Amino acid sequence: MKPNQGRGQLPEGVRDVLYGEAASRRHLEGILLDTYGRWGYHEVATPTLELLDNMLPGLSGQAQDELYKLVDRRGRVLALRPDMTTPIARLAGTHLQQAEPPIRLCYSAPVFRYTGGNSARPHEVRQSGVELLGEPGCQGDAEVIALVAAALRAAGVTTFALSLSHCRILDGILEQCGLSATAAAGLRQALLDRDLVRYEQAVQALGLPAADADLLMLATALGNLEQVGGALAERLQASSAQQALVEVRQVVRRFKELGVRVPVHLDLGLMRGLDYYTGLVFEAYVPGSGLPVGGGGRYDLLLRSFGRDLAATGFALDVDLLLAARERQAGRRQSTEVPFPALQGGIH
Amino acid sequence: MKPNQGRGQLPEGVRDVLYGEAASRRHLEGILLDTYGRWGYHEVATPTLELLDNMLPGLSGQAQDELYKLVDRRGRVLALRPDMTTPIARLAGTHLQQAEPPIRLCYSAPVFRYTGGNSARPHEVRQSGVELLGEPGCQGDAEVIALVAAALRAAGVTTFALSLSHCRILDGILEQCGLSATAAAGLRQALLDRDLVRYEQAVQALGLPAADADLLMLATALGNLEQVGGALAERLQASSAQQALVEVRQVVRRFKELGVRVPVHLDLGLMRGLDYYTGLVFEAYVPGSGLPVGGGGRYDLLLRSFGRDLAATGFALDVDLLLAARERQAGRRQSTEVPFPALQGGIH
């Protein structure tokens, strides 16, 4: 065994960034923050370490398992922040109690998730994003989606597409089929893992009436808002799920009015892996990557946990995925490739 | 107890950065990195988390105690990086085995130290700095000091001063007095804590001959390079300590030739709290702050631990202290205030 055996190794899921890439990344982060700034968003920074308890309100069980945790000298459990949304909600509850809404905040920072198992996702991810606090409803959702589009274009990514969904649609489907909490959680997790084989097997194993099984399978549909939306509108009974579909259409109409021209899909399987979402959720895809380059959505209840009751929405972009997309798209700006990872429907 | 009791609190020693400050800080970091870039330094980034074992070679016992540690899912102990010098030494040992020296690297990143007790020092500090690998001797030391001066000026800090020392001077003094390892360590720690009362009491308690006690007290001197240096040159016996004094004078001459015009002091009590230093060490002071705005020095043995045997030197600036200094100096550029925290000698 050599004396330096093991020296120079890194922990799982992290890497060094050398030379040109480090400078390009910083330059890209500057472009994004400048874009948010022109839209009225103010930059904030929060600590890398947070009290664990403050990070839990918005996280699903799996996301809680993925936290990097440590105990400080006073015996308190800390976590490396898993995203910036919850720290900014905490910040709003302390520093911005008196600020007049809407409050527009932006950031660029690393976040940490111990994505174990077979996942090749990096454990430390630089995120660049915004939070729009105190702007309820479609207007706020349309603004942040329009800002995603503006940020991607400013970053030099001209070809991209959006997947949209709404938390209450899937809630409505699962409820309507009368599933147990355990069965519903299993289906949610399969959707979150994008494991459609497991999802379909689980649906079959439930032995439901054909109409319910069909409706559950519709939750895996990815496609044209009118087609999939129309099929859903016919079958959904809960008025809240029907209303959610209407909201999705309103947001799309509104951001088109704001000048956003981009392929849009309804993707009912879109699960952001975070429990704090309450309304419209979305992801942005670029050609050549199966992972979304960014995403976000509405979280109207999270700030209440920190003592400031404001509806909110926002998004985060994965800076390294965006940097790779920019480099792929440089030189082939006229690409007409449709960037959805698993396209099953038409372009809206 | 209110339902939100405790919500919104932060871990010890960390803080939120709001609005203007976050943007100013990012802007300042850009100015510094651009300055390093013009001097031929290439930006790199390393992970926030490192394997604990890789962080230990350069750290004193106290600095090891100040690490934030955690255990990963495979049972390996990780640490939040306490500085960027050791991670960059690790990076050089892996990614830059074939690179032709000198290698010039720079960075801007948060580092983490659990400075307990009564310390009001923040636990998460944004550092901006450079490492110059494979440039041994006075030429390398003078280059990084000249770059500190250029970076401070680019940042808008026009009034600052330098404290210099050399590891082998204090080593020579302690050796010459024949102190036990325990006694020497106690004196070093008192100097590191800048606790001159404790230092003097410890010296008295040793019951040494007057000449030795006088020499030990000279180690607390802060002052004119010719005065303090001359007094030392007369009393130091070890040729390595004498040679160290000569090196300090050579570095000062060399960076003056490079156009650096700045007050310089010899500060033998200057201890950077890191065991990896082997030669010239320095700190930069600005008016209005008792803490150095930055510092660095030569560490010729650290890279050997990572399998690449290169002499090296570098520095790190505390971005938040620098930001505060810049704001204090904006508008009073003609200040003649001498920025040493505890001036006991003249200006060189």
Side-chain angles (χ1 to χ4, degrees):
Chain A
M1 194 161 126
K2 287 189 294 182
N4 289 325
Q5 193 78 37
R7 282 274 185 242
Q9 285 187 4
L10 285 174
E12 283 178 273
V14 299
R15 69 189 181 101
D16 293 315
V17 178
L18 292 173
Y19 290 10
E21 186 184 352
S24 296
R25 186 164 81 174
R26 183 166 58 90
H27 183 241
L28 175 59
E29 292 183 329
I31 288 171
L32 296 172
L33 288 165
D34 289 346
T35 304
Y36 310 150
R38 280 196 298 277
W39 284 54
Y41 286 77
H42 297 279
E43 190 175 348
V44 295
T46 68
T48 301
L49 291 166
E50 295 269 357
L51 294 178
L52 174 67
D53 285 348
N54 280 343
M55 294 299 100
L56 299 181
L59 296 187
S60 65
Q62 182 181 338
Q64 292 184 14
D65 287 345
E66 290 177 356
L67 288 168
Y68 279 93
K69 302 181 201 76
L70 59 150
V71 180
D72 76 5
R73 271 46 159 193
R74 295 164 63 182
R76 299 201 291 188
V77 185
L78 312 184
L80 275 74
R81 60 172 169 239
D83 70 5
M84 283 294 288
T85 300
T86 309
I88 286 178
R90 176 196 52 67
L91 178 153
T94 47
H95 300 290
L96 304 178
Q97 277 291 350
Q98 307 305 323
E100 189 71 28
I103 304 168
R104 291 180 169 83
L105 305 176
C106 64
Y107 61 86
S108 198
V111 302
F112 302 85
R113 296 183 199 169
Y114 200 106
T115 47
N118 298 320
S119 171
R121 298 191 74 152
H123 291 191
E124 175 170 2
V125 173
R126 284 201 74 88
Q127 286 191 342
S128 166
V130 310
E131 311 295 346
L132 172 53
L133 315 180
E135 182 71 74
C138 297
Q139 177 62 30
D141 293 315
E143 175 178 323
V144 299
I145 288 177
L147 182 47
V148 167
L152 291 178
R153 291 216 167 84
V157 172
T158 51
T159 306
F160 58 94
L162 290 173
S163 288
L164 301 182
S165 188
H166 191 299
C167 296
R168 288 208 308 274
I169 299 177
L170 185 63
D171 289 348
I173 291 173
L174 296 173
E175 219 173 279
Q176 187 169 327
C177 298
L179 300 191
S180 70
T182 312
L187 292 181
R188 279 182 196 278
Q189 190 59 49
L191 284 179
L192 185 60
D193 297 341
R194 297 271 181 190
D195 187 341
L196 299 190
V197 173
R198 194 172 95 225
Y199 183 88
E200 187 165 0
Q201 287 171 339
V203 169
Q204 300 304 332
L206 289 169
L208 296 171
D212 285 350
D214 286 354
L215 181 57
L216 285 174
M217 287 315 297
L218 203 53
T220 66
L222 169 69
N224 180 295
L225 183 55
E226 294 316 316
Q227 281 178 359
V228 179
L232 274 172
E234 287 170 17
R235 301 180 195 200
L236 278 173
Q237 290 160 5
S239 64
S240 71
Q242 290 281 5
Q243 176 58 28
L245 263 176
V246 172
E247 281 180 31
V248 173
R249 289 202 176 95
Q250 282 174 340
V251 171
V252 173
R253 194 178 317 124
R254 187 76 193 95
F255 72 64
K256 286 188 172 179
E257 287 166 9
L258 291 171
V260 178
R261 295 280 171 272
V262 56
V264 174
H265 282 71
L266 190 65
D267 177 3
L268 297 178
L270 191 166
M271 301 269 296
R272 301 277 307 146
L274 295 161
D275 274 359
Y276 51 64
Y277 288 114
T278 56
L280 185 104
V281 289
F282 61 92
E283 286 180 341
Y285 285 89
V286 295
S289 172
L291 294 172
V293 75
R298 177 160 288 285
Y299 53 99
D300 284 346
L301 303 177
L302 181 63
L303 269 80
R304 196 178 291 176
S305 310
F306 297 101
R308 181 92 214 251
D309 191 5
L310 287 177
T313 180
F315 69 80
L317 300 172
D318 180 316
V319 176
D320 287 324
L321 289 181
L322 187 53
L323 196 59
R326 180 168 75 156
E327 279 163 18
R328 282 196 305 274
Q329 294 195 15
R332 51 181 185 88
R333 299 235 178 270
Q334 300 311 312
S335 169
T336 54
E337 188 185 345
V338 176
F340 287 104
L343 184 66
Q344 298 169 14
I347 300 289
H348 181 76
Chain B
M1 193 161 129
K2 286 190 293 181
N4 289 326
Q5 193 79 37
R7 283 277 182 234
Q9 286 186 5
L10 285 174
E12 284 177 273
V14 299
R15 70 188 180 100
D16 293 315
V17 177
L18 291 173
Y19 290 11
E21 187 183 354
S24 297
R25 186 164 81 173
R26 183 166 59 90
H27 182 240
L28 175 59
E29 291 183 329
I31 289 171
L32 296 171
L33 287 166
D34 288 347
T35 304
Y36 310 151
R38 280 196 297 277
W39 285 52
Y41 286 77
H42 297 279
E43 189 174 350
V44 294
T46 68
T48 302
L49 290 166
E50 295 268 358
L51 294 178
L52 174 67
D53 285 348
N54 280 342
M55 294 300 100
L56 299 180
L59 297 186
S60 65
Q62 182 180 340
Q64 292 185 14
D65 288 345
E66 290 176 356
L67 288 168
Y68 278 94
K69 301 182 202 76
L70 61 149
V71 180
D72 75 5
R73 269 50 159 191
R74 296 164 61 182
R76 299 201 292 189
V77 185
L78 312 184
L80 274 75
R81 62 174 167 236
D83 70 4
M84 282 296 287
T85 300
T86 309
I88 285 178
R90 176 195 53 67
L91 178 153
T94 48
H95 300 289
L96 305 176
Q97 276 292 350
Q98 307 306 322
E100 191 70 28
I103 303 167
R104 292 180 169 83
L105 304 176
C106 65
Y107 60 86
S108 197
V111 302
F112 303 85
R113 295 183 200 169
Y114 201 106
T115 48
N118 298 320
S119 171
R121 299 192 72 153
H123 291 192
E124 175 171 2
V125 174
R126 283 202 75 91
Q127 285 191 345
S128 166
V130 310
E131 310 297 345
L132 172 53
L133 315 180
E135 182 72 76
C138 297
Q139 178 61 30
D141 294 316
E143 174 178 322
V144 299
I145 288 177
L147 182 47
V148 167
L152 292 177
R153 291 215 166 87
V157 172
T158 51
T159 306
F160 59 94
L162 290 173
S163 288
L164 301 181
S165 189
H166 191 299
C167 296
R168 289 207 308 274
I169 300 177
L170 185 63
D171 289 347
I173 291 173
L174 296 172
E175 219 172 280
Q176 186 169 328
C177 296
L179 299 191
S180 70
T182 311
L187 292 182
R188 279 182 197 277
Q189 190 59 50
L191 284 180
L192 185 59
D193 297 340
R194 297 273 181 189
D195 187 342
L196 300 189
V197 173
R198 195 172 94 223
Y199 183 89
E200 187 164 2
Q201 288 172 340
V203 170
Q204 301 303 334
L206 289 169
L208 297 171
D212 286 348
D214 287 353
L215 181 58
L216 285 174
M217 287 315 297
L218 204 53
T220 65
L222 170 70
N224 182 295
L225 183 56
E226 296 314 317
Q227 282 178 357
V228 179
L232 273 172
E234 287 171 17
R235 301 180 197 200
L236 277 173
Q237 290 159 4
S239 64
S240 70
Q242 291 279 6
Q243 177 58 28
L245 263 176
V246 171
E247 282 180 31
V248 173
R249 288 201 176 95
Q250 282 174 339
V251 171
V252 172
R253 193 177 319 122
R254 187 74 194 95
F255 71 65
K256 286 187 172 177
E257 287 166 10
L258 291 171
V260 178
R261 296 279 171 272
V262 56
V264 174
H265 282 72
L266 191 64
D267 177 3
L268 297 178
L270 190 165
M271 301 269 296
R272 301 276 308 147
L274 295 161
D275 274 359
Y276 52 64
Y277 288 113
T278 56
L280 185 103
V281 288
F282 62 91
E283 286 179 340
Y285 286 90
V286 294
S289 171
L291 294 172
V293 74
R298 178 161 287 285
Y299 53 99
D300 285 346
L301 302 177
L302 181 63
L303 269 79
R304 194 177 293 177
S305 309
F306 297 101
R308 180 94 213 249
D309 192 5
L310 288 176
T313 179
F315 69 80
L317 300 173
D318 181 316
V319 176
D320 286 324
L321 289 180
L322 187 53
L323 196 60
R326 181 169 75 156
E327 279 165 18
R328 282 196 305 274
Q329 293 195 16
R332 53 181 185 86
R333 300 236 177 267
Q334 300 310 311
S335 169
T336 54
E337 186 185 346
V338 176
F340 287 104
L343 184 66
Q344 298 171 13
I347 300 290
H348 180 78

